[in-house]
Amino acid sequence: MTTQSMIEAIRATLEDEMARDERVMVLGEDVGTQGGVFRATEGLKQRFGADRVVDTPVAEAGIIGASIGLATAGMVPVAELQFLGFAHQAFHQIGFQLGRFRYRTLGAFPLQVTIRAPYGGAVHAPELHSDAFEAMLANAPGLKIVAPSTAADARGLLTAAIRDPDPVIYLEPLRGYRLVRDDVPDGDHLTPIGAVRIARPGTDVTVLAWSFQVVNALEAAELAAEEGIDVEVVDIRSLVPLDEAGIAASVTRTGRCVVVEEAPRTAGFGAELVATVQELCFLDLEAPIVRLSGWDTPYPMPLLERDYVPDTARILDAVRRTAAY
Amino acid sequence: MEPYRLLDPEGRLTGDLPDGLDADRLAGMMRLMLLGRRLDEKAIALQRRGKLGTYAPLSGQEAASVGSSFAMDTDVDRLVPQYREQLAMLHWGLPLGTYLLQRYGHPKGARLPEHGRLYPQQVALAAHAPHAVGLAWGMRLRGEPGAVICHFGDGASSEGDAHEAMNLAGVTDAPVIFVIQNNGWAISVPIASQTRGVIARRAEGVGIAGRRVDGNDVLAMYAATAEARRRAVEGGGATLIEAVTYRLGAHTTADDPTKYVDAAELEDARTRDPLVRFRTWMTAEGLWDDEREQAAIAWVDERIEEAVVEFDAAGPADPAAMFEHVFADEPPRLARQRAEYEAARELGS
Ligand SMILES: Cc1ncc(C[n+]2csc(CCOP(=O)(O)OP(=O)(O)O)c2C)c(N)n1
Ligand SMILES: [Mg+2]
């Protein structure tokens, strides 16, 4: 075990996977000499050279499109989008090309592509850097989407993503990069893609969350415990494929469910979770499912973001309301 | 491809002084350039004290911004800028205090001048370039006077949006001028990794006029932009100006350039300081002296002080602003969310 921050775990995992498999390469804006604007690729260019750690021009469609080509040529590209907000510049390559290439070609080509992207709010980033666009990606079939909330999962899911035969979008919480620190297993550590993690067991209310909202949910759960409400926090961590059985098992036990996400409410991924819980657990539900999200507005100016992104107080309030129903 | 130049690095005029530049305007250019240099110092200090968000210094690029801006007619022309065009935005009438509020992340910082000829600064690289084309095209269709000037960086020039915009400008005969600020860097990525070609040559490939200009020469930037503007308003279409310059500071206050900028290269770039070059020529021509420099600095400091006062007076951000201007009329579903938000605020969250 080593105690690491999420960013340290990500950096170490990239280094280990590059050492393990010489087909693995990293490409993106500022990933080489600078080692990434958040230091996720620090030292990699020095160790593995400029052919495997590539500072690309500022061209996101090119980065992702070329990653598809590289993968079909037998490489294992790990592309970095500097912020998820700039996935839009590459969206046709991600949604229409990367996600469908296997399907269109009846599986004729390897597509071992990982896209890493920091995202999420409440870090005082400039405009267009904080939005949570998971739902847009999840609505494009053929892409796996993972979003760790611990350093251990940062390592386990990134290892699994890089080795996965399918394209995986790996979402990194900006807010948790340095704030979240925990014990990371040494050696080969894989977290299965498609399995929830019970972040905190409880009996009264299930909170479904992923990425940094898991941290907020855990804080809210501690406060709720002082009031005698025992909250189970389920870290979704893999949005696609979704662990329906894991989610249903928790909600069936507690009978009450709160869903938390940062995205705008309309058509956010949380809506998918609410619909799934309703389908699988209808007869076990003791209260309406409560949903917390950002608002249906563009992500606001930094001074207002605390009023936009769900926080501990809003989660605690939702837990209380659900428990009292 | 040798850049077009009017002032050599020693500050000697090597061609004719462009039309339209009398002593007052030349002094005005000098003042705005000085303002840029001092604004960087002040803004970086404010950022360090937590009073500003990330700030993108412009030092080294004063001539490219100011020369291209002064060649335009702000009464009819429109500016569609990238985020490092503070000086162009101020020239188009943005109050400095509003600019600082924007950098602080205050909703009041989003307010643009009422005249409508200044567009918001763009953060998504090159995403504004097609807007500039559409705007210029629309002005032509509606018979409006003037042209559009759109600044973006060497990094942004690699985006698909930039290429699409330049080609579209060609086929629509849009009266638009793209000023590509080739400052040598896109954060840590040097121009040699950004492109193997000469940016200005792209113009030829899409059938618009193109010119490579010494971006540290404010007179050359003025002359090249004035010529492009003349062509645009006379129906001659679009121009791409590559301003060859150098980013003397960090990418932003969040960046540490010592990790990737070679110290000797930076020292060399400092010897081509656009402010020094222009001041040398102005002084030799008798258009500038210590007294005028001191007066200009006093004027600059006063403007910055006034802006800081306005900034301090803005008060806390009003959360209601978050729900405003999403649509022209607020739909009921959003109104319900606003009510939910008000209730959540009561929780002290
Ligand atoms: C579409 C998009 N991709 C990536 C970024 C992240 N980013 C911000 S500034 C920058 C470099 C821009 O370089 P350049 O256009 O040369 O402008 P400069 O900063 O040199 O003024 C990058 C990659 C962004 N803002 N937008
Ligand atoms: Mg640049």
Side-chain angles (χ1 to χ4, degrees):
Chain A
M1 291 279 188
T2 318
T3 305
Q4 281 179 322
S5 66
M6 291 189 83
I7 194 78
E8 286 163 354
I10 290 164
R11 204 211 66 81
T13 307
L14 288 170
E15 181 161 11
D16 291 346
E17 289 305 294
M18 292 190 78
R20 178 180 172 274
D21 181 346
E22 63 179 23
R23 298 171 307 154
V24 177
M25 63 183 288
V26 164
L27 68 161
E29 296 154 11
D30 305 286
V31 299
T33 309
Q34 199 197 24
V37 292
F38 297 105
R39 307 285 179 259
T41 55
E42 182 135 63
L44 298 184
K45 183 179 170 192
Q46 286 81 343
R47 175 158 177 201
F48 300 106
D51 274 352
R52 289 181 66 200
V53 183
V54 185
D55 274 326
T56 64
V58 183
E60 292 79 13
I63 293 168
I64 305 305
S67 294
I68 296 171
L70 283 160
T72 61
M75 298 299 290
V76 178
V78 182
E80 175 180 302
L81 292 173
Q82 204 161 78
F83 290 87
L84 186 64
F86 308 128
H88 292 289
Q89 272 74 2
F91 201 79
H92 67 115
Q93 289 292 350
I94 299 172
F96 274 9
Q97 302 298 326
L98 183 60
R100 298 185 188 209
F101 215 81
R102 176 179 306 292
Y103 192 74
R104 290 170 63 211
T105 59
L106 311 182
F109 299 100
L111 272 178
Q112 218 174 321
V113 176
T114 304
I115 302 176
R116 298 179 34 246
Y119 90 122
V123 292
H124 269 264
E127 209 188 348
L128 311 182
H129 287 65
S130 305
D131 296 68
F133 289 119
E134 310 90 331
M136 294 179 72
L137 300 162
N139 203 233
L143 303 168
K144 293 182 178 172
I145 305 170
V146 298
S149 70
T150 65
D153 275 353
R155 180 173 188 94
L157 284 171
L158 185 54
T159 308
I162 293 171
R163 296 186 198 173
D164 198 283
D166 279 310
V168 182
I169 318 262
Y170 178 89
L171 302 174
E172 306 172 2
L174 275 166
R175 184 120 190 264
Y177 263 163
R178 289 181 174 79
L179 215 58
V180 172
R181 295 182 70 84
D182 49 89
D183 288 340
V184 180
D186 296 321
D188 236 26
H189 166 61
L190 280 96
T191 302
I193 294 176
V196 297
R197 177 179 70 97
I198 306 299
R200 179 191 196 279
T203 52
D204 298 338
V205 177
T206 297
V207 176
L208 302 179
W210 63 94
S211 198
F212 194 79
Q213 286 302 333
V214 173
V215 177
N216 286 341
L218 287 169
E219 253 178 52
E222 289 313 312
L223 296 171
E226 290 169 17
E227 302 173 12
I229 308 171
D230 190 15
V231 174
E232 176 148 301
V233 178
V234 176
D235 181 353
I236 296 293
R237 74 182 177 177
S238 166
L239 282 66
V240 181
L242 187 63
D243 182 3
E244 294 187 332
I247 292 168
S250 174
V251 179
T252 302
R253 262 196 316 274
T254 61
R256 297 169 198 273
C257 181
V258 173
V259 174
V260 190
E261 69 174 320
E262 293 193 17
R265 182 159 307 171
T266 295
F269 190 77
E272 199 54 46
L273 294 180
V274 173
T276 303
V277 169
Q278 191 275 145
E279 271 171 43
L280 300 178
C281 309
F282 182 70
L283 294 176
D284 298 299
L285 284 172
E286 319 248 356
I289 305 161
V290 177
R291 203 175 150 210
L292 297 177
S293 65
W295 315 111
D296 281 344
T297 72
Y299 195 88
M301 295 282 266
L303 286 186
L304 295 180
E305 63 184 345
R306 300 268 168 176
D307 295 88
Y308 181 89
V309 177
D311 59 9
T312 306
R314 271 173 75 193
I315 299 173
L316 179 61
D317 174 63
V319 163
R320 281 187 193 133
R321 280 188 283 136
T322 311
Y325 185 85
Chain B
M1 201 173 168
E2 242 337 87
Y4 167 64
R5 183 177 284 154
L6 279 175
L7 285 178
D8 72 13
E10 279 70 49
R12 287 179 301 238
L13 191 64
T14 57
D16 294 333
L17 185 66
D19 292 339
L21 286 182
D22 58 20
D24 270 359
R25 297 203 79 212
L26 288 164
M29 287 161 79
M30 189 72 207
R31 271 202 302 272
L32 190 54
M33 289 171 72
L34 278 170
L35 191 149
R37 191 61 61 94
R38 283 180 91 81
L39 175 62
D40 275 6
E41 286 172 25
K42 185 78 189 179
I44 290 168
L46 283 172
Q47 193 276 338
R48 299 260 147 84
R49 285 190 280 134
K51 295 206 64 179
L52 223 54
T54 41
Y55 174 79
L58 61 98
S59 289
Q61 298 177 225
E62 293 90 347
S65 272
V66 171
S68 60
S69 294
F70 265 71
M72 303 299 287
D73 179 352
T74 55
D75 287 338
V76 288
D77 297 337
R78 321 226 181 171
L79 173 69
V80 185
Q82 192 164 305
Y83 51 75
R84 213 182 291 281
E85 292 306 325
Q86 295 90 311
L87 295 183
M89 294 172 77
L90 296 178
H91 189 64
W92 254 264
L94 184 73
L96 185 51
T98 306
Y99 172 77
L100 292 178
L101 284 168
Q102 205 277 344
R103 294 317 315 174
Y104 188 46
H106 196 294
K108 284 186 182 165
R111 185 163 305 285
L112 296 164
E114 300 234 319
H115 59 58
R117 290 184 298 277
L118 172 61
Y119 280 58
Q121 58 166 324
Q122 185 58 257
V123 167
L125 295 169
H128 61 310
H131 307 172
V133 176
L135 171 61
W137 181 9
M139 285 163 69
R140 182 171 71 67
L141 292 176
R142 295 180 63 85
E144 285 182 24
V148 178
I149 186 164
C150 173
H151 296 80
F152 53 97
D154 49 298
S157 83
S158 297
E159 291 282 4
D161 279 3
H163 289 86
E164 294 184 26
M166 290 189 274
N167 188 53
L168 201 55
V171 295
T172 56
D173 296 316
V176 60
I177 301 157
F178 303 108
V179 176
I180 299 189
Q181 291 257 20
N182 179 357
N183 63 2
W185 296 98
I187 310 186
S188 72
V189 177
I191 184 67
S193 302
Q194 199 63 239
T195 181
R196 292 282 158 87
V198 173
I199 290 174
R201 288 220 171 100
R202 292 184 199 169
E204 197 189 328
V206 293
I208 64 175
R211 193 150 203 200
R212 194 158 202 254
V213 180
D214 184 335
N216 289 1
D217 175 348
V218 70
L219 297 181
M221 281 302 299
Y222 178 93
T225 312
E227 181 198 74
R229 180 180 189 276
R230 221 159 21 242
R231 184 164 38 244
V233 297
E234 285 167 5
T239 302
L240 161 58
I241 293 173
E242 177 188 358
V244 183
T245 177
Y246 199 87
R247 194 193 78 202
L248 292 177
H251 170 67
T252 66
T253 43
D255 173 48
D256 174 14
T258 60
K259 284 203 67 166
Y260 57 83
V261 176
D262 179 57
E265 180 183 308
L266 183 61
E267 269 324 296
D268 183 55
R270 285 194 194 286
T271 66
R272 295 188 303 276
D273 188 320
L275 256 174
V276 174
R277 193 184 303 187
F278 190 40
R279 189 192 284 117
T280 305
W281 176 75
M282 289 279 280
T283 306
E285 290 295 306
L287 294 164
W288 201 254
D289 52 27
D290 277 351
E291 200 179 314
R292 276 178 269 209
E293 176 97 4
Q294 290 317 315
I297 288 174
W299 174 84
V300 162
D301 287 354
E302 211 171 294
R303 279 202 67 184
I304 295 179
E305 278 318 308
E306 275 168 21
V308 171
V309 169
E310 184 191 327
F311 174 81
D312 287 336
D318 176 10
M322 189 162 60
F323 288 92
E324 281 160 18
H325 303 291
V326 182
F327 295 102
D329 300 308
E330 183 170 272
R333 183 173 159 89
L334 191 54
R336 188 164 75 85
Q337 289 184 25
R338 188 201 279 266
E340 187 184 328
Y341 160 71
E342 304 285 352
R345 271 191 86 197
E346 306 285 301
L347 305 170
S349 60

